[in-house]
Amino acid sequence: MSDDTQPNQDPAESPDSDAQAGVPTRRRVLAMGAVTAGAVVSIRPALAQTAGSVLNCEIPVPDPGRAGSYIDANGGVVPARTKGAFPPSTRAFKGEEVKRAMASGSTLPGTDSDRSRAYVKYIRRLQRGQGGFTCFASLQMPRG
Protein backbone atom coordinates (compact mmCIF):
# COMPACT_ATOMS: atom_id res chain seq x y z
CA MET A 1 0.00 0.00 0.00
CA SER A 2 1.12 3.57 -0.48
CA ASP A 3 1.76 6.24 2.14
CA ASP A 4 -1.40 7.97 3.34
CA THR A 5 0.05 11.48 3.25
CA GLN A 6 -0.64 13.90 0.41
CA PRO A 7 2.23 14.49 -2.10
CA ASN A 8 3.24 17.86 -0.62
CA GLN A 9 2.14 17.16 2.93
CA ASP A 10 4.66 16.78 5.72
CA PRO A 11 4.16 13.37 7.42
CA ALA A 12 4.30 15.17 10.76
CA GLU A 13 1.15 17.08 9.76
CA SER A 14 -0.90 14.04 8.69
CA PRO A 15 -4.20 13.41 10.47
CA ASP A 16 -2.66 10.33 12.06
CA SER A 17 0.57 12.01 13.13
CA ASP A 18 0.16 10.80 16.69
CA ALA A 19 0.32 7.19 15.41
CA GLN A 20 3.58 5.43 16.13
CA ALA A 21 5.75 3.93 13.40
CA GLY A 22 4.41 0.54 12.38
CA VAL A 23 0.90 1.25 13.65
CA PRO A 24 -1.59 1.24 10.76
CA THR A 25 -3.39 4.46 9.92
CA ARG A 26 -7.16 4.70 9.95
CA ARG A 27 -7.22 4.57 6.16
CA ARG A 28 -5.18 1.36 6.14
CA VAL A 29 -7.37 -0.22 8.79
CA LEU A 30 -10.47 0.63 6.76
CA ALA A 31 -8.88 -0.80 3.61
CA MET A 32 -8.00 -4.01 5.44
CA GLY A 33 -11.58 -4.26 6.70
CA ALA A 34 -12.90 -3.92 3.16
CA VAL A 35 -10.64 -6.74 1.98
CA THR A 36 -11.72 -8.95 4.88
CA ALA A 37 -15.41 -8.30 4.19
CA GLY A 38 -14.87 -9.40 0.59
CA ALA A 39 -13.31 -12.63 1.78
CA VAL A 40 -16.26 -13.37 4.07
CA VAL A 41 -18.73 -12.73 1.25
CA SER A 42 -16.87 -15.14 -1.04
CA ILE A 43 -16.41 -17.89 1.59
CA ARG A 44 -19.97 -18.06 2.90
CA PRO A 45 -21.54 -19.28 -0.38
CA ALA A 46 -18.87 -21.99 -0.59
CA LEU A 47 -19.73 -23.20 2.92
CA ALA A 48 -23.43 -23.15 2.10
CA GLN A 49 -22.78 -25.16 -1.05
CA THR A 50 -20.71 -27.68 0.92
CA ALA A 51 -23.43 -28.08 3.54
CA GLY A 52 -26.00 -28.60 0.79
CA SER A 53 -23.92 -31.23 -0.94
CA VAL A 54 -23.44 -33.11 2.34
CA LEU A 55 -27.19 -33.36 2.78
CA ASN A 56 -27.56 -34.63 -0.80
CA CYS A 57 -24.77 -37.22 -0.71
CA GLU A 58 -25.84 -40.86 -0.66
CA ILE A 59 -25.19 -43.87 1.55
CA PRO A 60 -25.97 -47.30 0.08
CA VAL A 61 -26.98 -50.08 2.50
CA PRO A 62 -24.96 -52.22 2.16
CA ASP A 63 -22.11 -50.70 0.17
CA PRO A 64 -21.72 -51.86 -3.47
CA GLY A 65 -18.89 -54.24 -2.53
CA ARG A 66 -21.39 -56.29 -0.52
CA ALA A 67 -24.48 -55.80 -2.65
CA GLY A 68 -27.02 -58.56 -2.12
CA SER A 69 -25.97 -59.18 1.50
CA TYR A 70 -28.43 -58.71 4.31
CA ILE A 71 -28.11 -56.49 7.40
CA ASP A 72 -28.66 -58.05 10.82
CA ALA A 73 -30.29 -56.28 13.78
CA ASN A 74 -26.87 -55.15 15.08
CA GLY A 75 -25.92 -53.51 11.76
CA GLY A 76 -23.63 -56.32 10.66
CA VAL A 77 -23.45 -57.61 7.10
CA VAL A 78 -24.55 -61.24 6.81
CA PRO A 79 -25.16 -63.65 3.93
CA ALA A 80 -28.38 -63.24 1.94
CA ARG A 81 -31.52 -64.76 3.39
CA THR A 82 -30.07 -65.03 6.92
CA LYS A 83 -32.95 -65.59 9.34
CA GLY A 84 -33.85 -62.40 11.24
CA ALA A 85 -31.74 -60.16 8.98
CA PHE A 86 -33.06 -57.51 6.63
CA PRO A 87 -32.68 -57.45 2.83
CA PRO A 88 -30.56 -54.66 1.36
CA SER A 89 -32.17 -51.33 0.75
CA THR A 90 -33.61 -50.87 -2.72
CA ARG A 91 -32.03 -47.39 -2.89
CA ALA A 92 -29.26 -45.38 -1.28
CA PHE A 93 -30.29 -42.98 1.48
CA LYS A 94 -29.63 -39.25 1.20
CA GLY A 95 -27.41 -37.64 3.83
CA GLU A 96 -30.33 -35.53 5.01
CA GLU A 97 -32.48 -38.65 5.59
CA VAL A 98 -29.71 -40.38 7.54
CA LYS A 99 -28.96 -37.29 9.61
CA ARG A 100 -32.64 -36.93 10.53
CA ALA A 101 -32.95 -40.61 11.47
CA MET A 102 -29.81 -40.52 13.62
CA ALA A 103 -30.79 -37.28 15.37
CA SER A 104 -34.47 -37.91 16.06
CA GLY A 105 -34.86 -41.65 15.82
CA SER A 106 -37.28 -41.31 12.90
CA THR A 107 -37.31 -44.13 10.37
CA LEU A 108 -35.43 -44.06 7.09
CA PRO A 109 -37.75 -43.73 4.08
CA GLY A 110 -39.32 -46.99 2.94
CA THR A 111 -38.44 -48.88 6.13
CA ASP A 112 -40.17 -49.94 9.32
CA SER A 113 -38.65 -49.11 12.71
CA ASP A 114 -36.69 -52.40 13.13
CA ARG A 115 -35.19 -52.28 9.64
CA SER A 116 -34.38 -48.58 9.99
CA ARG A 117 -32.58 -49.20 13.31
CA ALA A 118 -30.53 -51.99 11.73
CA TYR A 119 -29.64 -49.80 8.74
CA VAL A 120 -28.64 -46.86 11.00
CA LYS A 121 -26.44 -49.21 13.06
CA TYR A 122 -24.83 -50.41 9.81
CA ILE A 123 -24.24 -46.79 8.73
CA ARG A 124 -22.68 -45.88 12.11
CA ARG A 125 -20.19 -48.75 11.64
CA LEU A 126 -19.04 -47.64 8.18
CA GLN A 127 -15.28 -47.42 7.79
CA ARG A 128 -12.91 -45.76 5.36
CA GLY A 129 -13.06 -47.44 1.96
CA GLN A 130 -16.68 -48.53 2.24
CA GLY A 131 -19.32 -46.95 0.02
CA GLY A 132 -21.07 -44.13 1.86
CA PHE A 133 -18.29 -43.60 4.42
CA THR A 134 -17.33 -40.14 3.15
CA CYS A 135 -20.95 -39.03 3.22
CA PHE A 136 -21.42 -40.40 6.76
CA ALA A 137 -18.19 -38.77 7.96
CA SER A 138 -19.33 -35.45 6.50
CA LEU A 139 -22.57 -35.68 8.47
CA GLN A 140 -20.52 -35.94 11.66
CA MET A 141 -18.64 -32.69 10.99
CA PRO A 142 -19.98 -29.69 12.89
CA ARG A 143 -21.24 -26.91 10.62
CA GLY A 144 -20.54 -23.28 11.48
Side-chain angles (χ1 to χ4, degrees):
M1 287 190 164
S2 65
D3 187 14
D4 290 331
T5 59
Q6 298 297 323
N8 294 327
Q9 182 181 5
D10 182 0
E13 297 175 9
S14 75
D16 294 318
S17 62
D18 58 339
Q20 298 172 345
V23 176
T25 63
R26 281 181 264 158
R27 186 177 296 166
R28 286 188 183 151
V29 170
L30 289 172
M32 289 172 22
V35 169
T36 305
V40 170
V41 169
S42 64
I43 291 171
R44 279 200 179 145
L47 290 175
Q49 183 178 7
T50 301
S53 65
V54 166
L55 296 178
N56 289 317
C57 64
E58 295 186 337
I59 302 174
V61 178
D63 65 300
R66 298 185 264 184
S69 297
Y70 278 37
I71 307 298
D72 69 15
N74 293 319
V77 179
V78 296
R81 291 179 282 294
T82 297
K83 187 172 180 145
F86 302 99
S89 175
T90 57
R91 69 172 184 89
F93 297 104
K94 299 268 185 208
E96 182 175 14
E97 297 166 340
V98 171
K99 187 172 187 164
R100 188 179 322 116
M102 289 189 327
S104 68
S106 63
T107 59
L108 292 166
T111 66
D112 60 27
S113 60
D114 291 336
R115 180 181 291 197
S116 181
R117 266 194 301 277
Y119 286 178
V120 168
K121 286 179 183 178
Y122 166 82
I123 291 167
R124 288 184 192 274
R125 296 170 66 175
L126 284 173
Q127 297 179 2
R128 186 177 312 260
Q130 290 180 289
F133 172 78
T134 303
C135 181
F136 172 67
S138 298
L139 293 174
Q140 304 306 304
M141 300 276 194
R143 298 284 166 215

